[in-house]
Amino acid sequence: TGSYSVSIKGASVCPTVMSDISVVSINLKPTIASAPMGTSQVCLDSMIMITSNATNNSGIEWFKNGVSVATTIDLVIPVAAYSDSAYYSYKAIALPSCVDTLSDSFKVTVNTPITIVSQPTANQTLCEGNSLTLNVVAAGSGPYTYQWKKNGVDISGETADSFKIVSVSTSDAAVYTCNVSGVSVCYSVLSNGATVTVNSKPVITQNPMTSSV
């Protein structure tokens, strides 16, 4: 970078000739410091934000599955739709006389909200010693994690889609629910409550007595 000129001097006594000044500027090549950054797993209707990180560039151009979609520094999609699941990359636009640089791609997946399509049996009345089985069936973006609750408190170790008690006692009478979570932390749904009533077995406190008449 600088200003350049040349002087030309002949063999005669004529004066030296000076050329015009030529200003030469050397631009640096654009540098991509990192691939696109953001949240790879997002929720339907949530916001998608993917950031760029480049230097020595005059601008940024974003691509979705190889198709140009925006010319902002960061890519923002206010309300995510299923069609926004894609591979995103950006191009660091070069300064004059330099070549543009393309980033690696970044995959975004828009997940389906979880719903419970089969709820636990709402009300059950059992007798002491009977067995209890409760089930939930979920739909949406999995895999799923389950947590059964008794009166709103987590039941340790009960993390399957089915909850069983082989032989109930009166202390098992409660309202049971199951919290189902999916691939993203924003998807969590609580089942309807299943009210379980446990009746005590009849107890004979006195056997028949023999009497003479």
Side-chain angles (χ1 to χ4, degrees):
T1 300
S3 299
Y4 297 85
S5 61
V6 60
S7 62
I8 303 174
K9 184 178 181 180
S12 68
V13 294
C14 296
T16 298
V17 178
M18 181 69 70
S19 72
D20 293 336
I21 295 175
S22 177
V23 178
V24 177
S25 297
I26 299 177
N27 292 322
L28 296 174
K29 294 188 296 184
T31 300
I32 292 179
S34 67
M37 298 182 67
T39 303
S40 61
Q41 299 287 340
V42 299
C43 310
L44 182 69
D45 296 331
S46 65
M47 185 178 76
I48 298 174
M49 185 174 193
I50 311 173
T51 61
S52 65
N53 187 0
T55 57
N56 306 323
N57 58 298
S58 63
I60 295 292
E61 183 177 6
W62 286 95
F63 296 86
K64 175 184 176 181
N65 291 333
V67 178
S68 178
V69 291
T71 55
T72 54
I73 299 301
D74 297 324
L75 180 63
V76 178
I77 302 172
V79 181
Y82 293 127
S83 59
D84 294 316
S85 292
Y87 288 91
Y88 293 87
S89 59
Y90 67 88
K91 179 170 66 179
I93 301 172
L95 297 168
S97 300
C98 292
V99 179
D100 299 338
T101 302
L102 186 65
S103 74
D104 293 335
S105 61
F106 176 75
K107 184 181 180 181
V108 173
T109 301
V110 179
N111 294 293
T112 304
I114 291 175
T115 58
I116 293 179
V117 295
S118 180
Q119 300 281 351
T121 303
N123 298 292
Q124 295 189 51
T125 299
L126 305 173
C127 184
E128 282 183 293
N130 290 161
S131 63
L132 169 67
T133 300
L134 299 172
N135 300 288
V136 291
V137 178
S141 294
Y144 310 122
T145 57
Y146 304 88
Q147 178 59 65
W148 286 91
K149 299 174 181 287
K150 177 181 179 182
N151 292 332
V153 179
D154 290 354
I155 304 173
S156 177
E158 296 299 336
T159 55
D161 58 356
S162 180
F163 170 70
K164 296 180 181 181
I165 299 177
V166 175
S167 178
V168 298
S169 64
T170 54
S171 63
D172 293 318
V175 177
Y176 293 87
T177 55
C178 184
N179 190 80
V180 184
S181 302
V183 69
S184 175
V185 293
C186 62
Y187 293 132
S188 178
V189 62
L190 187 66
S191 74
N192 295 339
T195 300
V196 176
T197 302
V198 180
N199 293 324
S200 299
K201 291 180 180 179
V203 176
I204 296 176
T205 58
Q206 181 177 334
N207 288 311
M209 298 180 66
T210 302
S211 61
S212 298
V213 294

